[in-house]
Every structure is written in C-alpha cells, then in structure tokens.
Amino acid sequence: MPKTVGVIGGGLMGAGIAQVFVAAGAEVSVVETGDATAARQRVADGLAKAAERGKLADALDAALTRVSVVDDVSALPPAAELVVEAVPEVPALKVDVLTKAEQVIGEHAVLASNTSSLSIAGLGSALRRPDRFLGLHFFNPVPASGLVEIVTAPGTAAGVIEQARGWVRGLDKTDVVVRDSPGFATSRLGVLLGLEAIRMLEEGVADAEAIDTAMELGYRHPMGPLRSTDLVGLDVRLAIAEYLHATLGDRFAPPQLLRDKVADGQLGRKTGQGFHRWA
Ligand code: NAI
C-alpha cells in the first residue's frame, strides 16, 4: 500500500477516498480550496463511524493524526506515492489540478482521477508522464462500496495498472479494469438507467417510490435508479449526462425534470430533497 497519499478535493468522494487510505494505514493529505474545516470534519466523521463499527485497525486518535488538510496543490507532500483528484466533473479544473500535482510529486508517483465519465487520455494529455496516470473510479459511499473501476488510457503503463490493482485489493475492494471510453462500464449503464427512470417520472408512468421498488424487488437491484441518482447528487449526474450526450449521442440527453431540479437546488441526499425526501 502507498505510505503517503494525496487527495485533491475534500467533498463527498474525496473525503471518502481519504478515509479509506487512512484506515489502511497511509498518511493522507487532502487539498480543499473550499471549506477546509468541513472537509476535515467529513473525513473525521467517516473515521469515527469506521471505529464504531470496529473497522479501524488502530485507535481513532492515531488514525486522525494521519490526516491533514491543505488549501493548495503545491502543498501536497512530495513523497506522495499516489495522488487521486476528486474535484468537480469539469475537465479544465481537473487538468489544472493534475498538471500542478505532477510538478510537486516524484516521477515514480501515480496520478489518478476519480472522474465518473471523462476521457482519461484527454485529462492526461497535458501531463509530462501520461504513462503514470489512470482512472481510479471509486463509488459512493466509498467506505461501504466494494468496487473500484480502473480506467486505462492507451498510454497507461502496464506496471502502473498492476500497482493500482494491488492497492485496490489492499483496500479490501474489487477492481474491474476498463478501457478508456465515455462513462466507462459503470456510469454508462447506471446513468442511462437513471435518465430513463426520470423520463418515466415525466411521463407519469409511476411515482418515484414505485419505479425504485420495481427495480429493487423485481430486478434485485440493491437501490433503484432514482434513489441512486439522489445518492450520487443530481448536479453530478447532470454533468455526466451532458458529457455522455455530447460524446455518445441522444440517448443520454438530460431530461428537463433533471435540469429543473438542479436549477431549484434539489440535488438529492446532500440537500435533503431530490426525487425522494431525505431526513
Ligand atoms: P463534491 O462537489 O462533493 O466535491 C468536490 C470538492 O472539490 C469540493 O469540496 C470543492 O470545494 C473541491 N474543489 C473544487 N475545486 C478545487 C480545487 N481546485 N482544488 C481542490 N479542491 C477543489 O463532488 P463529488 O461528488 O465528491 O465528486 C467529485 C468527483 O468524483 C467528480 O469527478 C465526480 O464525477 C466523481 N464521482 C462522484 C460520485 C458521486 O457519487 N458523487 C461517484 C464517483 C465519482
């Protein structure tokens, strides 16, 4: 496992990614340009929950000493063996933080993006070492999810892929290796199902609870497509759908209801209201 890890973006995903590496024994530095206190709290809360469930190997206090939050990529530890970016799904923003991170870390470090959909080759095209860059797509909530999708660009070195697979196994998760293509294997299928469920709501086929229950009990999905959209965040799903619409065609056109809810601030679980109400 990497001893030192950098995570850029301390939001929903970044905090979860930081938590699982800390729990695995790594020193983790989180770069957060927004509310650093909130980012630190997210990681600390997650670690406290893991400790309560007996899923932390060492004491909570000891684990907390391995987390630091900084406000700029330039403050990443130069010794980081792995840096994962988890900033919003905006290509220019991701390219910016990745190219800056590359200037800080050593030439043998691995750089990764947690993007849900964007081209890994595209994000890595400005890097000096695109061979040491790949997608490490974690799922929400990171500590509870068993999967990491490893996305490889044509230029990703085979040794880097193997190193990443070993780290994923070290986190007690399963990897799937997927070729770089819009939405990879997971978002491409998951988002399509979510968008169709929203179109069904628009057409009045059934209400949200009925659509989700249909898939949960009828198809044995652990979570229906609308509940899953709420969990991911409607804003995050809209950004992914817009990108998949542009790259894969009209079947990914975002429904008006999704746009309206995002404009109205109904972003899902994180705001208390999406397609369902969250207490
Ligand atoms: P989020 O909005 O919760 O977190 C993003 C964080 O990045 C925020 O705290 C923001 O202040 C920070 N940030 C913005 N610019 C920054 C910069 N220049 N340097 C450092 N920090 C910066 O978003 P979320 O949901 O964590 O998504 C992050 C990425 O993970 C996106 O690419 C998304 O597509 C992907 N993803 C999201 C999943 C989800 O279920 N929400 C699941 C899997 C991947």
Side-chain angles (χ1 to χ4, degrees):
M1 286 299 286
K3 287 198 179 66
T4 309
V5 173
V7 177
I8 310 174
L12 192 62
M13 294 304 292
I17 296 166
Q19 181 194 324
V20 295
F21 278 106
V22 169
E27 301 259 350
V28 178
S29 184
V30 178
V31 183
E32 172 58 61
T33 52
D35 189 339
T37 309
R40 193 182 163 82
Q41 198 57 50
R42 271 191 285 278
V43 183
D45 288 348
L47 285 168
K49 257 188 217 151
E52 267 169 34
R53 292 177 185 157
K55 289 190 172 166
L56 215 52
D58 54 356
L60 177 60
D61 284 357
L64 287 170
T65 63
R66 293 198 297 276
V67 188
S68 58
V69 179
V70 297
D71 64 1
D72 196 86
V73 177
S74 61
L76 277 170
E81 290 157 72
L82 168 69
V83 172
V84 186
E85 75 73 19
V87 298
E89 194 81 337
V90 178
L93 181 58
K94 288 187 182 287
V95 168
D96 181 58
V97 297
L98 287 166
T99 47
K100 285 182 177 149
E102 190 181 43
Q103 286 160 24
V104 179
I105 58 179
E107 61 172 317
H108 297 298
V110 173
L111 257 185
S113 172
N114 186 51
T115 179
S116 308
S117 62
L118 302 172
S119 160
I120 294 300
L123 293 177
S125 61
L127 295 175
R128 275 181 291 146
R129 296 290 310 268
D131 57 314
R132 304 204 61 78
F133 176 59
L134 80 180
L136 275 187
H137 184 198
F138 287 83
F139 293 81
N140 179 19
V142 179
S145 162
L147 179 72
V148 178
E149 191 173 36
I150 296 184
V151 187
T152 65
T156 308
V160 169
I161 299 168
E162 281 316 305
Q163 201 169 9
R165 296 189 72 189
W167 289 338
V168 169
R169 281 194 294 272
L171 294 176
D172 211 15
K173 298 189 187 297
T174 301
D175 66 276
V176 288
V177 178
V178 178
R179 184 170 63 80
D180 190 18
S181 58
F184 322 128
T186 50
S187 300
R188 184 162 166 175
L189 286 170
V191 170
L192 192 64
L193 202 63
L195 295 177
E196 197 59 27
I198 299 168
R199 282 190 274 269
M200 287 162 66
L201 257 190
E202 283 181 335
E203 291 168 18
V205 172
D207 64 19
E209 194 55 50
I211 292 170
D212 279 340
T213 303
M215 296 312 286
E216 286 160 8
L217 299 183
Y219 275 64
R220 301 177 68 171
H221 287 196
M223 191 182 290
L226 296 167
R227 243 185 286 284
S228 161
T229 304
D230 273 4
L231 192 71
V232 169
L234 275 63
D235 51 338
V236 175
R237 273 285 165 96
L238 177 59
I240 300 169
E242 280 172 338
Y243 176 73
L244 295 180
H245 184 205
T247 49
L248 294 176
D250 280 347
R251 62 193 190 281
F252 287 97
Q256 191 56 43
L257 180 60
L258 179 60
R259 292 191 187 284
D260 291 347
K261 281 189 170 284
V262 171
D264 194 34
Q266 296 181 38
L267 305 184
R269 190 169 77 164
K270 61 188 165 189
T271 60
Q273 177 69 52
F275 294 105
H276 297 276
R277 173 167 292 285
W278 298 78

